[in-house]
Amino acid sequence: MKKHSVKKITFPLSKVYRLLEPGPVVLLSTVRAGRPNAMPMSWHLMMEFIPPLVGCVVSNGDYSFATLKQTKECVINIPTVELAKTVVACGNTSGSDVNKFEKFRLTPVAARFVKAPIIAECYASLECKVVDMKLVTKYNFFILEVVQAWIDPVRKNPRTIHHQGEGEFMVAGRTLHLPSPKTSLGGKKLSGTLRS
Amino acid sequence: MKKHSVKKITFPLSKVYRLLEPGPVVLLSTVRAGRPNAMPMSWHLMMEFIPPLVGCVVSNGDYSFATLKQTKECVINIPTVELAKTVVACGNTSGSDVNKFEKFRLTPVAARFVKAPIIAECYASLECKVVDMKLVTKYNFFILEVVQAWIDPVRKNPRTIHHQGEGEFMVAGRTLHLPSPKTSLGGKKLSGTLRS
């Protein structure tokens, strides 16, 4: 694995939901037998604030499935629109055939708590451990705990991409601020599942 | 329930993932004892194309939790930015205190297969039945099957909203087309979990 300084800084675990809840396509990185791999994924959801839990579907037809099941570790990397073509390229090839990090010039950076690599080109990266595989057999559904989060402090207003299928991606647009009395009091009131 | 003609038309179940995969905030509608309720939710993910399966977290602190667990039915309604203030208002009140449909002037429309109402003001609505509650006790995680999908055929380029927490929402921006040979051949290659 290429060694170079990580430009990202630590991001609070309590705010991880702010990165994933909007629904961006992510690049799931794993490593097996010293060889890193990266897979685009957009079937994921937040399941808890603290510790941050993330549920995701990784198909048993995907090369990453066996690795994730075996190593129980991965990194969720969040790309922006500048990486869109690379994301699609990663989605159209299999780790069983090619080393995508080399082929698509992604830079693997050593993570702190997992062996799977951080992707330097992504604006945020979440080191994860698999904590529940009860629904893997039936639904290919893994529950991950985020144990360390990183973000690029320089990147302002990151334009994430959101998969719409059939070759279409929605690019993140403007931010709408809708402060409310209850939000300012607690924050959690408008978080996650919101409320009712 | 107010009776008036549904302006939405049937939407193919095989394309439901295209509505939810980008990660919009939705309004989950339920009904108990004849009284409808609506709750904003953004902790959801696609789990299967056909039949379309959707996983979601509905907190046991929410009024909708008991209703969903008991009736095993709901409608996932997808609002656009024009409804953002109503969505926040629904998130800051509880169905235990108020009838949100009346208070926030949402129009309940009779669904085809479930008792929960379609929200007329939302551009798409997905009638759902709960099919798996194995992870409800531990994670408040429900698995739903979409049994009927509706869409407003008039609304072009719907601007969905995506919850970022702390009173911020990302509004859906432009669409990026990234056709690739493999996408045009199958479609599924770039769908869902994409690939690797």
Side-chain angles (χ1 to χ4, degrees):
Chain A
M1 189 177 299
K2 198 168 170 181
K3 294 262 177 193
H4 74 92
S5 61
V6 183
K7 289 173 193 164
K8 298 187 180 87
I9 61 168
T10 296
F11 186 74
L13 289 179
S14 62
K15 294 192 173 187
V16 160
Y17 78 94
R18 301 198 63 184
L19 303 177
L20 290 182
E21 194 170 320
V25 174
V26 301
L27 283 171
L28 188 81
S29 59
T30 49
V31 68
R32 187 163 42 160
R35 184 166 145 177
N37 191 38
M39 176 190 118
M41 175 176 82
S42 51
W43 286 15
H44 59 74
L45 89 166
M46 285 303 301
M47 297 183 73
E48 186 53 88
F49 292 105
I50 282 290
L53 297 182
V54 180
C56 65
V57 171
V58 176
S59 167
N60 56 17
D62 288 331
Y63 179 74
S64 301
F65 177 83
T67 307
L68 187 60
K69 208 172 159 188
Q70 185 188 316
T71 65
K72 295 188 173 60
E73 292 184 348
C74 62
V75 177
I76 292 175
N77 303 275
I78 310 181
T80 46
V81 66
E82 297 79 10
L83 277 182
K85 283 185 182 173
T86 303
V87 170
V88 171
C90 283
N92 281 330
T93 48
S94 172
S96 60
D97 305 322
V98 293
N99 181 327
K100 299 186 198 176
F101 277 78
E102 288 177 3
K103 189 173 171 86
F104 304 122
R105 298 184 187 177
L106 294 171
T107 311
V109 174
R112 181 177 287 174
F113 294 115
V114 301
K115 292 201 180 72
I118 287 165
I119 299 176
E121 289 77 10
C122 290
Y123 93 96
S125 295
L126 313 172
E127 301 185 25
C128 299
K129 302 217 179 204
V130 175
V131 291
D132 198 321
M133 300 208 297
K134 280 191 201 73
L135 298 190
V136 167
T137 304
K138 191 161 182 186
Y139 301 104
N140 297 325
F141 182 71
F142 294 83
I143 301 179
L144 316 171
E145 179 181 332
V146 180
V147 293
Q148 170 76 44
W150 303 98
I151 202 159
D152 178 351
V154 177
R155 199 93 61 101
K156 298 297 175 200
N157 210 3
R159 295 288 171 206
T160 50
I161 56 173
H162 301 250
H163 191 232
Q164 296 177 306
E166 300 186 13
E168 293 187 353
F169 293 82
M170 179 272 280
V171 181
R174 67 190 170 94
T175 297
L176 188 66
H177 298 265
L178 283 175
S180 72
K182 289 188 181 172
T183 310
S184 62
L185 287 176
K188 192 164 179 178
K189 198 75 181 167
L190 258 180
S191 300
T193 58
L194 297 159
R195 192 128 296 252
S196 161
Chain B
M1 189 177 298
K2 197 168 168 182
K3 294 262 178 191
H4 75 91
S5 61
V6 183
K7 288 174 193 164
K8 298 187 180 87
I9 61 169
T10 296
F11 186 75
L13 289 179
S14 61
K15 293 191 174 187
V16 160
Y17 79 95
R18 301 197 64 184
L19 303 178
L20 291 181
E21 194 170 320
V25 173
V26 302
L27 282 172
L28 188 80
S29 59
T30 49
V31 69
R32 186 165 40 162
R35 182 165 145 178
N37 191 38
M39 175 191 119
M41 177 176 82
S42 51
W43 287 14
H44 59 73
L45 88 166
M46 286 303 302
M47 297 183 73
E48 186 52 89
F49 292 105
I50 283 291
L53 297 183
V54 180
C56 64
V57 171
V58 176
S59 167
N60 56 16
D62 289 330
Y63 179 74
S64 301
F65 177 83
T67 308
L68 187 59
K69 207 172 159 187
Q70 186 188 313
T71 65
K72 295 189 172 61
E73 290 184 350
C74 62
V75 177
I76 291 174
N77 303 275
I78 310 180
T80 46
V81 67
E82 297 79 10
L83 277 181
K85 284 184 182 173
T86 304
V87 170
V88 171
C90 284
N92 281 330
T93 49
S94 172
S96 61
D97 305 321
V98 294
N99 182 327
K100 299 188 198 175
F101 277 80
E102 288 177 2
K103 189 172 171 84
F104 304 122
R105 298 183 188 180
L106 293 171
T107 312
V109 174
R112 181 177 287 174
F113 294 116
V114 301
K115 292 200 179 72
I118 287 166
I119 299 176
E121 288 77 10
C122 290
Y123 93 96
S125 295
L126 313 172
E127 301 184 24
C128 299
K129 303 217 177 203
V130 175
V131 292
D132 197 322
M133 302 208 296
K134 280 190 201 75
L135 298 190
V136 167
T137 304
K138 189 161 185 186
Y139 302 103
N140 297 324
F141 182 71
F142 294 83
I143 300 178
L144 317 171
E145 179 179 333
V146 180
V147 293
Q148 171 75 44
W150 303 98
I151 202 159
D152 179 350
V154 176
R155 199 94 59 102
K156 298 298 175 201
N157 211 1
R159 295 288 172 207
T160 50
I161 55 174
H162 300 250
H163 191 234
Q164 296 177 305
E166 300 184 13
E168 294 187 351
F169 294 82
M170 178 272 280
V171 182
R174 67 190 170 94
T175 297
L176 187 66
H177 298 265
L178 283 175
S180 71
K182 288 188 182 173
T183 310
S184 64
L185 286 177
K188 191 163 178 177
K189 197 76 180 166
L190 258 179
S191 300
T193 57
L194 298 159
R195 191 128 295 253
S196 161

